Amino acid sequence: MVLFSSKYRSQETEIMDDMNFQGEEMKSLLKDLATVNKWLGGTNITISGVNKLLAIHKRAETPLIIIDIGCGDGEVLRRCLDNAKKRSILVRAIGIDANPFILEEAQKRSLDYPNLEFQKLDVFSKMDSLPEFHIALCTLFLHHFKEDEIVTLLQKTQDRAKVGIVINDLQRSAWAFGLFRIFSSIFLKTKTARHDGLVSVARGFKKKELQKITHRIQGIHRIRWQWAFRYQWLIYKQ
C-alpha cells in the first residue's frame, strides 16, 4: 500500500524504475500513461514551457537542439517537434533514457520523425558526452530522485544548456493523491500504472521545496502551479 505524507517526500520506488522493465507490461503501462496525459493535460505543460523559452531564442542559432532527459517512449519530444513545425522552427530532438527496452519502443514510435534520435545514457555520469543543446526537458523525472541528486543533475544540465530548462513535475498534495486514486481506478488498466502513479504523487514536491532547490542552481527561475496538480518550472540561462 502506497503511503502519503504532506510533510515528507516518499522514498518508495516505482516499479518502472527497474531498468529491466519491459515487454507487454511496459507497453500496457505506456498506454495508461498516454491516458493520463490525455485527460490531465500533462504534456501541454512542457510544450507551453518550451514556447516560453523559444520566445527568447534567437532564430539565427537554429537548428534548435532539444533534449528530453528521461524521455520514456518519446511522446513529449514528438509533440515538441509537431509544435516547432507549426511555428516554422527547425528543431533537432534527442531523447535520453537509461532503459534500453523503452528506448527500443521509442524508436519504433518515432519512425516518422527523422530529426528525432535516442540515446541510452546515465545522465548522472555521462552528461558530458552529450552534444551542446539549447533546451533540456525534464518531464515527470525529477521526483524519482533525492534533493542532492536533483541539484547535481540540474547543475550539469544548466551548465550545458544554451537557453534553459523546462521542468514539469508533480505537486505533492492530499487532493492530488486522492484524485489520482479515483482516476486510476476508473481509467487505468494496469496495476503498475495505478501503483506508480500514487508513488509519483507521494514523491512529488511542495512549492517551497522547489524554491529551496532554486537557490542552488544558477539561472532565472519561474515556478508556476498548473492543472492537474503540477508545477511548471522554467530555468532561463543568465
Side-chain angles (χ1 to χ4, degrees), residues 1 17 39-40 43 47-49 60 72 77 83 93 96 114 129-130 138 140 147 166 195 212 223 225 227 229 236:
M1 180 179 178
D17 283 340
W39 292 106
L40 300 182
T43 305
I47 298 297
S48 70
L77 284 178
N83 173 67
I96 307 297
S129 66
L130 281 176
C138 294
L140 301 183
E147 181 179 318
V166 177
H195 171 273
K212 178 183 175 184
I223 300 174
W225 185 89
W227 175 258
F229 298 100
Y236 296 82

Side-chain angles (χ1 to χ4, degrees), residues 10-191:
S10 172
Q11 299 302 310
E12 189 170 352
T13 58
E14 298 181 32
I15 295 171
M16 67 179 301
D17 283 340
D18 181 355
M19 292 301 104
N20 290 315
F21 186 66
Q22 59 181 298
E24 291 304 316
E25 185 180 3
M26 180 191 75
K27 293 178 183 178
S28 296
L29 173 65
L30 292 174
K31 290 181 181 178
D32 275 345
L33 292 178
T35 298
V36 172
N37 282 325
K38 176 181 179 180
W39 292 106
L40 300 182
T43 305
N44 292 334
I45 296 171
T46 298
I47 298 297
S48 70
V50 170
N51 287 339
K52 290 170 185 174
L53 289 186
L54 287 178
I56 64 169
H57 173 63
K58 297 178 180 178
R59 296 295 181 89
E61 295 179 4
T62 55
L64 186 81
I65 301 175
I66 298 177
I67 68 168
D68 185 8
I69 302 174
C71 66
D73 73 344
E75 175 61 17
V76 172
L77 284 178
R78 290 190 292 273
R79 290 282 304 279
C80 282
L81 289 171
D82 292 339
N83 173 67
K85 185 176 182 179
K86 291 178 182 178
R87 297 164 63 90
S88 299
I89 300 173
L90 181 61
V91 171
R92 175 188 170 207
I94 305 171
I96 307 297
D97 208 286
N99 185 325
F101 304 105
I102 204 166
L103 287 179
E104 182 179 350
E105 187 66 23
Q107 296 271 14
K108 293 177 182 177
R109 298 184 180 201
S110 305
L111 295 178
D112 294 332
Y113 293 82
N115 48 344
L116 171 54
E117 64 180 274
F118 297 94
Q119 296 182 15
K120 179 181 178 297
L121 192 69
D122 177 355
V123 290
F124 286 96
S125 61
K126 298 293 185 180
M127 179 66 76
D128 291 343
S129 66
L130 281 176
E132 290 188 343
F133 54 87
H134 296 86
I135 296 174
L137 313 179
C138 294
T139 300
L140 301 183
F141 185 67
L142 295 187
H143 71 260
H144 292 270
F145 305 102
K146 297 178 180 178
E147 181 179 318
D148 285 345
E149 293 172 322
I150 293 170
V151 170
T152 297
L153 174 63
L154 293 182
Q155 284 175 335
K156 288 182 177 181
T157 304
Q158 183 70 336
D159 285 345
R160 296 185 64 81
K162 290 184 178 180
V163 178
I165 306 171
V166 177
I167 298 162
N168 169 2
D169 223 311
L170 299 168
Q171 178 191 18
R172 190 174 73 260
S173 156
W175 280 99
F177 195 79
L179 173 66
F180 188 85
R181 190 186 294 278
I182 295 170
F183 177 88
S184 64
S185 68
I186 299 172
F187 294 104
L188 302 188
K189 306 297 184 183
T190 64
K191 291 182 179 179

